[in-house]
Amino acid sequence: MSPIRLLSTDFDGTLIGHPSDGRCSPAFAAALRRHHAGGGLWAVNTGRGLDHLIEGIEIFSPPVLPDFALVLERGIYRRTDGGWEAHGEWNASCRQRHSDLYREAGELFGEIEQMAAESDNTITILYEDELPSGFVTSDEEVMERAARRVARAAEKLPEFSFQRNFIYLRFCHRDVHKGSTLGALCRQENIPRDEVFAVGDHYNDLSMLDGTHAGMTACPANAIEAVKETVRKSNGYVAEKPWADGVAEALEFYGSRQRQPDGIRV
Ligand SMILES: [Mg+2]
């Protein structure tokens, strides 16, 4: 078994959860300290934007700060002494792919705006730079129906896709998601897939939990069923504990597996 060189952790619903005050759990803090002491790196891989993530991390108060922030399911930032800086070529290539795609998506955006207009205010379109970037729904049931409609409408534009997380949905290029962003970071940092641990709880985490970009996968007990299924299929670890305590449990599992002389799963 390879040691874990990089942790790729989702934030909301994975490190912090509903009853939490947003602060780091003692079990995860201890696991993080051990990982850091062994020279391991940590990336938070989130749907949040950078500023929103920085706010969350401040409240979370982990014993060591993340080395990388992977934000909006697409942007790679590296922590420096002076703050956070865009890292590598990936961000620019994503921007280019999105602007090319969005130029072709006018008709599709029109249909989605129409759907929102007829939704009795249960679907609100979100805009960035005057283009639709996604939408938020009044509840998860509305999201379920809306996501199905968008998927059907997008069949005519095969490169168009979206990331979904509870009541939020963000449009994206088919090949731009948490998984490919993690893969890009690992190429830049020369970290092999087998030494990457990824953990998440919701639909937008599936792409980093299917085994393509991380050799060790996990989810906390509160993860949705689709995530648990994906983690099981990639021979990953479904924790018994929720949120950050479940992440600590998964790290303990992979740590103890590495300590087995023959690498047998126990
Ligand atoms: Mg989440």
Side-chain angles (χ1 to χ4, degrees):
M1 255 327 271
S2 306
I4 301 176
R5 270 179 65 196
L6 176 69
L7 305 181
S8 170
T9 67
D10 171 44
F11 193 63
D12 297 276
T14 297
L15 295 184
I16 54 173
H18 174 61
S20 145
D21 60 0
R23 284 175 202 282
C24 187
S25 86
F28 181 67
L32 201 53
R33 263 193 223 100
R34 276 195 299 274
H35 174 70
H36 182 73
L41 297 166
W42 176 29
V44 177
N45 199 339
T46 178
R48 287 193 186 206
L50 185 61
D51 290 345
H52 190 201
L53 177 62
I54 291 169
E55 276 171 30
I57 294 285
E58 249 173 56
I59 298 166
F60 191 61
S61 302
V64 294
L65 288 171
D67 301 281
F68 302 100
L70 276 46
V71 300
L72 300 173
E73 291 128 1
R74 66 177 71 151
I76 302 179
Y77 290 82
R78 187 170 69 93
R79 186 167 53 80
T80 67
D81 291 341
W84 293 89
E85 67 177 26
H87 186 49
E89 305 296 308
W90 176 254
N91 299 357
S93 89
C94 286
R95 265 196 303 277
Q96 188 60 49
R97 266 193 278 194
H98 280 109
S99 65
D100 291 349
L101 178 65
Y102 288 3
R103 248 196 316 272
E104 294 172 38
E107 192 187 328
L108 181 58
F109 285 151
E111 285 177 47
I112 295 168
E113 282 168 330
Q114 182 69 23
M115 174 180 80
E118 291 166 358
S119 75
D120 206 11
N121 291 326
T122 60
I123 301 173
T124 307
I125 304 281
L126 305 171
Y127 292 85
E128 272 169 35
D129 301 328
E130 292 172 19
L131 279 175
S133 60
F135 55 78
V136 55
T137 60
S138 54
D139 59 49
E140 286 188 70
E141 231 174 83
V142 175
M143 174 54 77
E144 192 63 47
R145 284 196 303 272
R148 272 203 299 269
R149 272 185 73 175
V150 174
R152 266 200 312 276
E155 281 169 8
K156 53 184 170 286
L157 196 56
E159 291 191 325
F160 188 94
S161 186
F162 55 82
Q163 299 299 321
R164 223 184 117 177
N165 188 19
F166 288 100
I167 58 168
Y168 294 95
L169 182 146
R170 178 178 294 114
F171 307 133
C172 65
H173 187 283
R174 180 191 56 194
D175 300 329
V176 174
H177 42 62
K178 286 192 182 190
S180 56
T181 305
L182 173 60
L185 173 67
C186 290
R187 282 195 300 280
Q188 280 168 19
E189 298 300 308
N190 221 0
I191 300 171
R193 170 198 164 276
D194 288 355
E195 297 176 10
V196 179
F197 167 93
V199 62
D201 73 303
H202 221 275
Y203 286 113
N204 64 339
D205 297 305
L206 292 175
S207 59
M208 67 165 171
L209 299 174
D210 64 7
T212 308
H213 301 283
M216 292 167 268
T217 61
C219 62
N222 57 284
I224 60 169
E225 199 47 45
V227 164
K228 289 182 178 171
E229 227 170 82
T230 300
V231 167
R232 282 189 203 105
K233 272 192 204 150
S234 63
N235 286 321
Y237 185 81
V238 177
E240 286 177 13
K241 293 179 186 158
W243 301 292
D245 286 347
V247 180
E249 181 190 323
L251 287 169
E252 176 55 33
F253 166 77
Y254 281 111
S256 69
R257 200 163 79 164
Q258 280 154 23
R259 289 192 291 273
Q260 297 299 307
D262 52 5
I264 289 172
R265 186 167 170 151
V266 291

Short mmCIF file of all heavy atoms in Angstrom, two decimals, residues 219-222 228 237-243 245-247 249-250:
data_model
loop_
_atom_site.label_atom_id
_atom_site.label_comp_id
_atom_site.label_asym_id
_atom_site.label_seq_id
_atom_site.Cartn_x
_atom_site.Cartn_y
_atom_site.Cartn_z
N CYS A 219 -16.32 7.88 2.16
CA CYS A 219 -17.39 8.85 2.41
C CYS A 219 -17.81 8.72 3.86
O CYS A 219 -17.70 7.64 4.45
CB CYS A 219 -18.56 8.65 1.46
SG CYS A 219 -19.37 7.06 1.61
N PRO A 220 -18.31 9.81 4.45
CA PRO A 220 -18.83 9.72 5.82
C PRO A 220 -20.20 9.05 5.80
O PRO A 220 -20.82 8.92 4.73
CB PRO A 220 -18.93 11.18 6.25
CG PRO A 220 -19.08 11.96 4.97
CD PRO A 220 -18.39 11.17 3.90
N ALA A 221 -20.68 8.63 6.98
CA ALA A 221 -21.95 7.90 7.07
C ALA A 221 -23.13 8.70 6.54
O ALA A 221 -24.13 8.12 6.10
CB ALA A 221 -22.19 7.50 8.52
N ASN A 222 -23.04 10.03 6.58
CA ASN A 222 -24.16 10.87 6.14
C ASN A 222 -24.20 11.06 4.62
O ASN A 222 -25.09 11.74 4.10
CB ASN A 222 -24.07 12.25 6.80
CG ASN A 222 -22.75 12.93 6.50
OD1 ASN A 222 -21.75 12.57 7.09
ND2 ASN A 222 -22.74 13.87 5.58
N LYS A 228 -22.25 6.49 -1.62
CA LYS A 228 -21.84 5.24 -0.96
C LYS A 228 -21.63 4.14 -1.99
O LYS A 228 -20.65 3.38 -1.92
CB LYS A 228 -22.90 4.82 0.07
CG LYS A 228 -22.93 5.72 1.28
CD LYS A 228 -23.95 5.26 2.30
CE LYS A 228 -23.91 6.17 3.51
NZ LYS A 228 -24.99 5.95 4.45
N TYR A 237 -13.92 3.11 1.31
CA TYR A 237 -14.35 2.90 2.69
C TYR A 237 -15.57 3.78 3.02
O TYR A 237 -15.49 5.01 2.93
CB TYR A 237 -13.20 3.23 3.64
CG TYR A 237 -13.51 2.94 5.09
CD1 TYR A 237 -13.40 1.65 5.59
CD2 TYR A 237 -13.92 3.95 5.94
CE1 TYR A 237 -13.70 1.37 6.92
CE2 TYR A 237 -14.22 3.69 7.27
CZ TYR A 237 -14.10 2.39 7.75
OH TYR A 237 -14.39 2.12 9.06
N VAL A 238 -16.67 3.11 3.39
CA VAL A 238 -17.86 3.84 3.83
C VAL A 238 -17.83 3.88 5.36
O VAL A 238 -17.91 2.84 6.01
CB VAL A 238 -19.15 3.15 3.33
CG1 VAL A 238 -20.39 3.86 3.86
CG2 VAL A 238 -19.17 3.09 1.81
N ALA A 239 -17.66 5.08 5.91
CA ALA A 239 -17.47 5.20 7.37
C ALA A 239 -18.78 4.98 8.12
O ALA A 239 -19.87 5.16 7.58
CB ALA A 239 -16.90 6.59 7.70
N GLU A 240 -18.63 4.59 9.37
CA GLU A 240 -19.82 4.42 10.23
C GLU A 240 -20.17 5.74 10.91
O GLU A 240 -21.30 5.94 11.34
CB GLU A 240 -19.54 3.35 11.28
CG GLU A 240 -19.56 1.96 10.67
CD GLU A 240 -19.22 0.87 11.65
OE1 GLU A 240 -19.21 1.15 12.88
OE2 GLU A 240 -18.95 -0.25 11.20
N LYS A 241 -19.20 6.63 11.00
CA LYS A 241 -19.44 7.91 11.67
C LYS A 241 -19.72 9.00 10.63
O LYS A 241 -19.20 8.91 9.50
CB LYS A 241 -18.24 8.31 12.52
CG LYS A 241 -18.03 7.39 13.70
CD LYS A 241 -16.81 7.81 14.49
CE LYS A 241 -16.52 6.79 15.58
NZ LYS A 241 -15.13 6.85 16.02
N PRO A 242 -20.48 10.01 10.99
CA PRO A 242 -20.77 11.08 10.03
C PRO A 242 -19.68 12.16 9.99
O PRO A 242 -18.84 12.24 10.90
CB PRO A 242 -22.07 11.68 10.57
CG PRO A 242 -21.99 11.47 12.05
CD PRO A 242 -21.21 10.19 12.26
N TRP A 243 -19.71 12.96 8.94
CA TRP A 243 -18.90 14.16 8.77
C TRP A 243 -17.41 13.93 9.11
O TRP A 243 -16.88 12.86 8.81
CB TRP A 243 -19.52 15.32 9.57
CG TRP A 243 -20.93 15.57 9.08
CD1 TRP A 243 -21.30 16.05 7.86
CD2 TRP A 243 -22.16 15.28 9.79
NE1 TRP A 243 -22.68 16.08 7.76
CE2 TRP A 243 -23.22 15.63 8.92
CE3 TRP A 243 -22.45 14.78 11.06
CZ2 TRP A 243 -24.55 15.48 9.29
CZ3 TRP A 243 -23.78 14.64 11.42
CH2 TRP A 243 -24.81 15.00 10.54
N ASP A 245 -15.72 13.18 11.65
CA ASP A 245 -15.34 11.98 12.42
C ASP A 245 -15.30 10.76 11.50
O ASP A 245 -14.49 9.85 11.70
CB ASP A 245 -16.34 11.74 13.57
CG ASP A 245 -16.13 12.73 14.70
OD1 ASP A 245 -15.07 13.42 14.70
OD2 ASP A 245 -17.01 12.83 15.57
N GLY A 246 -16.16 10.73 10.48
CA GLY A 246 -16.14 9.66 9.49
C GLY A 246 -14.89 9.74 8.63
O GLY A 246 -14.32 8.71 8.23
N VAL A 247 -14.45 10.95 8.33
CA VAL A 247 -13.22 11.13 7.53
C VAL A 247 -12.03 10.62 8.34
O VAL A 247 -11.16 9.91 7.82
CB VAL A 247 -13.03 12.62 7.13
CG1 VAL A 247 -11.75 12.79 6.32
CG2 VAL A 247 -14.24 13.12 6.34
N GLU A 249 -12.14 8.40 10.66
CA GLU A 249 -12.28 6.93 10.71
C GLU A 249 -11.70 6.31 9.42
O GLU A 249 -10.99 5.30 9.47
CB GLU A 249 -13.77 6.61 10.85
CG GLU A 249 -14.10 5.14 10.95
CD GLU A 249 -15.63 4.93 10.82
OE1 GLU A 249 -16.43 5.75 11.33
OE2 GLU A 249 -16.01 3.92 10.18
N ALA A 250 -12.00 6.91 8.27
CA ALA A 250 -11.51 6.39 6.99
C ALA A 250 -9.98 6.50 6.92
O ALA A 250 -9.30 5.59 6.44
CB ALA A 250 -12.15 7.15 5.83
#
